[in-house]
Amino acid sequence: MTLLSQLASRGRSVFAGGAGIVFGALVFGGTPAATQAIETVTAVAGEVDEDIRRFCSNIADAARDRRYALQKSEMEMLQKDIDQRIATLESKREEYESWLQRRNDFLAKAEGNLVEIYSRMRPDAAAERLAGVNVELAAGILMKLQARQAGIILNEMDSKAAAALTGIMASAARPQDPT
């Protein structure tokens, strides 16, 4: 039986005994006994209250320590979860950087080869092919060509397509964008 249940049963029996004494004193008319019974009940109730206070103060430190231990274990679990997520993000970042490096290497090779191919083409054939390509790619190729070759190719193009490519090339050649 725990201390708390012992205190509760003692308190009930004391209360029942005290109530019996008070009731007997009232029925039989003895006021000194009734007063004495009330003082006894009050003293026992005060003793029970003191036992309860002592019990609560004795377990307060243990309860606080247990609460801190639970919070610490929860924090450790959260830290492990965060560390795991960071590791996952780092691996994804490394994978992305590797992919980006392969892509940039490929583009550098392809760009160099592509510019060389267009530089060896006849101007009218190059103009026709560049008209069918993405305008940004076409402008990039023309910018990499020698100015004389690019001018001849633009001369062979449709005037609207040549104007669009020239606008893109002019925008790309600016040192900084207007604010």
Side-chain angles (χ1 to χ4, degrees), residues 12 27 36 54 58 71 81 94 98 101-104 114 116 120 126 131 139 142 145 162 166:
R12 277 182 269 170
V27 170
Q36 187 179 21
R54 225 182 356 232
N58 286 341
Q71 289 174 347
D81 185 45
E94 289 172 2
S98 170
Q101 184 62 41
R102 287 192 319 254
R103 178 186 172 274
N104 288 339
L114 199 55
E116 188 176 331
R120 294 179 186 212
L142 287 172
L145 289 173
T166 304

Side-chain angles (χ1 to χ4, degrees), residues 114-123 126 145 149:
L114 199 55
V115 169
E116 188 176 331
I117 290 169
Y118 276 96
S119 70
R120 294 179 186 212
M121 289 177 82
R122 289 189 335 254
L145 289 173
Q149 286 177 324

Side-chain angles (χ1 to χ4, degrees), residues 45-64:
E47 185 179 309
V48 170
D49 285 345
E50 183 60 31
D51 287 344
I52 292 171
R53 269 190 227 101
R54 225 182 356 232
F55 173 77
C56 290
S57 66
N58 286 341
I59 67 163
D61 291 336
R64 186 179 320 115

Side-chain angles (χ1 to χ4, degrees), residues 12-90:
R12 277 182 269 170
S13 63
V14 168
F15 180 74
I21 292 172
V22 170
F23 180 72
L26 290 175
V27 170
F28 297 111
T31 54
T35 305
Q36 187 179 21
I38 291 173
E39 289 172 359
T40 304
V41 169
T42 305
V44 171
E47 185 179 309
V48 170
D49 285 345
E50 183 60 31
D51 287 344
I52 292 171
R53 269 190 227 101
R54 225 182 356 232
F55 173 77
C56 290
S57 66
N58 286 341
I59 67 163
D61 291 336
R64 186 179 320 115
D65 291 344
R66 178 66 180 148
R67 185 173 57 246
Y68 290 154
L70 287 173
Q71 289 174 347
K72 181 181 178 187
S73 67
E74 187 175 332
M75 295 288 275
E76 288 171 351
M77 286 185 350
L78 290 173
Q79 184 64 43
K80 286 179 185 176
D81 185 45
I82 289 171
D83 291 342
Q84 182 181 15
R85 289 181 183 196
I86 288 172
T88 302
L89 286 173
E90 285 295 320

Side-chain angles (χ1 to χ4, degrees), residues 153-171:
I153 292 172
L154 283 171
N155 192 34
E156 293 291 329
M157 284 187 158
D158 176 50
S159 62
K160 289 183 181 180
L165 287 173
T166 304
I168 292 172
M169 289 170 32
S171 295

